[in-house]
Amino acid sequence: MQQRSMYVIIGVLAALVVAVAGSLVAVLEGGRLTTALKTGAATFAGALTLVLGVMLCLGVVGS
């Protein structure tokens, strides 16, 4: 149980890193801060969905 929780936490942190990178790219391309935040939120949601989907397929999370 603890190992599964650790994998989920690592997955969420990886999704956060991807979201921050997405926001940084949006700012570097000349976007406004609100656009960067929207991009980061969308990237986080997509990355988290993908990471949890992979974990579910691998049997790390779930029953």
Side-chain angles (χ1 to χ4, degrees), residues 2 5 13 20-21 23 25-26 45 47-48 55 57-58 61:
Q2 290 178 353
S5 298
L13 290 175
V20 168
S23 294
V25 168
L48 187 60
M55 287 184 179
C57 291
L58 293 176
V61 292

Side-chain angles (χ1 to χ4, degrees), residues 22-49:
S23 294
L24 184 62
V25 168
V27 168
L28 290 177
E29 288 181 348
R32 290 182 283 170
L33 186 58
T34 55
T35 305
L37 290 175
K38 289 178 184 176
T39 303
T43 307
F44 176 72
L48 187 60
T49 304

